[in-house]
Amino acid sequence: MPDLIGTKTRDLLERGLSRFRGGQAYALRAAESAKLGFQPPMQLIVDRAEGDFVYDLEGREIIDFQNGWATNPLGNCHPEILEVVQAAQKRYGFHWEHPLRVPVAEAIAATMPEGALPRFSFEVSGTEAVESAVHAALCHTGRRTIIAFASSFHGEGLGTKLISAYNSDNYVGLEAWSGGVIRAPFPHSSVLPPGLNHAQYQDYCLWYLEQYIPKHVMAADNIAAVLIEPALAEGGNWIPDPTFLQEIRGICDRQDWLMIADEVLTGVGRTGRFWAVEHAGITPDLMVVGKHLSGGIEAFAGFAARDDILGNNPKATGGSTFAGTPAGCAAALKTLEIIERDDVLSHAQRLANIAEVSMADWAARYDIVSEVRGLGLLLGVGFGQDEETGVLLARSVRDEMLKRGVWALCDFEPQVRLYPALTMSPEVLKAGLAGMEEAIAAVSSSGPTVGDYPAMPNGNVGF
Ligand SMILES: Cc1ncc(COP(=O)(O)O)c(C=O)c1O
């Protein structure tokens, strides 16, 4: 087993190996990788979470940039959110027909750009919310296909696996089901075709979307919508130029396609504005929300839409049993209230400025760093000159960070992603970034130490 943080963690993970999905694959790959001198990524199990920190099973205090997979805008276990969640649970238990839905829908509508998306559909998870939004777009237009982007991630349901283009393994086994999804290139600066600079590649992506697809892939009048993450989150916190989103808005208008923004991860302040589309000054026709609205405590997701799209669209049903639980609605309402009351976005912007300054010269100082990216507190550091080495370097840096008491995300991408709480104390942010820089320096000297492992089969803890 891996060089884990401590024996309690190791014991629990070992028990999970025989219970969870992928346990055999993990053990096999671990043995192969060990022969090559690599170790598996270190794992962390949260024993307790409070404010800017988590505490592992051995009681170590760890700075939390992992943020419950970017679900926690106000710090761990925010007492006010806990209080309203517990009060809602005590009062309503679970009933679908509770009184908090209306004020939540009103509060969310008030945040929408130009107040243009007044209707809301409650869903359980971001996954379900994306699927439901796509269905609403298909039903509204009477068309059969949608366009999604390379490296995007929209969830783990059947529909969202088909839609996401995280990598080509995404739809293995599902090929025959994916006829309704057209995938378009997304202009990453780190994945440029030979001979093109970034601006030229962005132009190519836009040309492909507006010219190539309608001519060679699918008739424009059979395309219902373009679904886009305003920044590729799971794809490595890659942030497009605002002109890319503006152009897509223009293409959708010219082609009569709906624009669906998936703000499950980028929304509710993560990028320094309430919604990431605000950086580009555009309004989508549907917007998918989730994660942060949970206040880090209780699941909440859904999608907002134009009145004409969702006001009278009887075939576009949605909202399963646990969509919009009383506790989830209470968490969302309180989160929105606190963000406004405490001017959380201004604090987040101050933190973003600190991060920008701290990370400014990393790409110049460390050969292994290919790129530092940031928009608000959506922060990412890219590693290596090619994807394969980059993944190993990124995972090794994440390991070294963990050894220094800083927890960040690195899934299967050649990046380490950071999601500090929007309310994190500046001192903790600085300490976490200093730990990350030390980790980068250590891996710069040692080279990659962590092998190419599948996800740890313990409910994905750790990456
Ligand atoms: C952009 C985006 N959309 C959708 C989802 C799926 O949300 P959930 O995991 O809540 O189902 C995610 C999850 O990471 C996401 O990042």
Side-chain angles (χ1 to χ4, degrees), residues 342-367:
D342 297 352
D343 196 9
V344 167
L345 264 52
S346 298
H347 183 78
Q349 197 46 58
R350 280 195 290 282
L351 296 180
N353 295 343
I354 291 172
E356 195 180 343
V357 171
S358 308
M359 300 161 94
D361 60 356
W362 288 3
R365 290 191 39 211
Y366 303 102
D367 283 349

Side-chain angles (χ1 to χ4, degrees), residues 69 125-128 130 153-156 229 233-234 262-266 291 301:
W69 292 81
S125 61
T127 297
E128 198 176 288
V130 170
F153 179 79
H154 298 288
E156 289 287 359
E229 290 176 80
E234 290 290 322
D262 179 351
E263 293 247 20
V264 167
L265 196 147
T266 52
K291 288 200 187 249

Side-chain angles (χ1 to χ4, degrees), residues 260-281:
I260 309 175
D262 179 351
E263 293 247 20
V264 167
L265 196 147
T266 52
V268 193
R270 174 51 57 199
T271 69
R273 305 291 285 268
F274 201 89
W275 301 111
V277 289
E278 292 172 27
H279 292 281

